């Protein structure tokens, strides 16, 4: 993942997304799971109060859609495997 160093956030996101271009769905899922493991490792070192504080800040800055699946692509919504 790209570290933000004064460049626009959009540019950083584009660079990070480029690493997934051409990958199979399985490879993209493996990348996603690795990211989840990294986030869990980082958050695992934080005390509960700090986790709560960061979640509150994140929620104020970028609220998650309600319902949570609102921004799924139409083809992902058509695949009901995730809903079973």
């Amino acid at each position: 993942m790209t570290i933000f160093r004064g460049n626009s956030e959009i540019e950083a996101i584009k660079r990070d997304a480029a690493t997934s271009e051409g990958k199979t769905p399985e490879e993209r899922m493996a990348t996603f799971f690795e990211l989840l493991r990294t986030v869990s490792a980082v958050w695992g070192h934080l005390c509960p109060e700090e986790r709560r504080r960061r979640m509150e800040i994140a929620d104020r800055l970028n609220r998650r859609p309600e319902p949570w699946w609102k921004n799924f692509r139409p083809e992902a919504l058509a695949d009901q495997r995730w809903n079973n």
Side-chain angles (χ1 to χ4, degrees):
M1 179 162 280
T2 303
I3 297 173
F4 183 73
R5 293 190 177 154
N7 296 325
S8 79
E9 185 176 357
I10 292 295
E11 290 171 358
I13 291 169
K14 286 179 183 178
R15 280 192 308 276
D16 291 342
T19 64
S20 288
E21 290 179 2
K23 288 185 177 179
T24 66
E26 292 80 14
E27 290 170 325
R28 286 193 302 272
M29 286 300 296
T31 301
F32 176 73
F33 287 132
E34 184 60 34
L35 176 61
L36 288 178
R37 283 190 286 275
T38 301
V39 170
S40 293
V42 170
W43 280 69
H45 292 286
L46 301 174
C47 67
E49 295 81 20
E50 181 62 14
R51 285 186 219 151
R52 185 172 30 262
R53 185 185 78 80
R54 291 180 184 211
M55 288 300 291
E56 288 171 0
I57 291 169
D59 199 39
R60 279 184 266 153
L61 293 175
N62 188 15
R63 294 189 87 64
R64 291 172 295 282
E66 286 291 333
W68 63 268
W69 45 263
K70 177 182 168 189
N71 292 335
F72 275 22
R73 294 186 321 249
E75 59 269 23
L77 291 173
D79 182 356
Q80 293 297 311
R81 287 181 293 172
W82 61 270
N83 200 20
N84 292 331

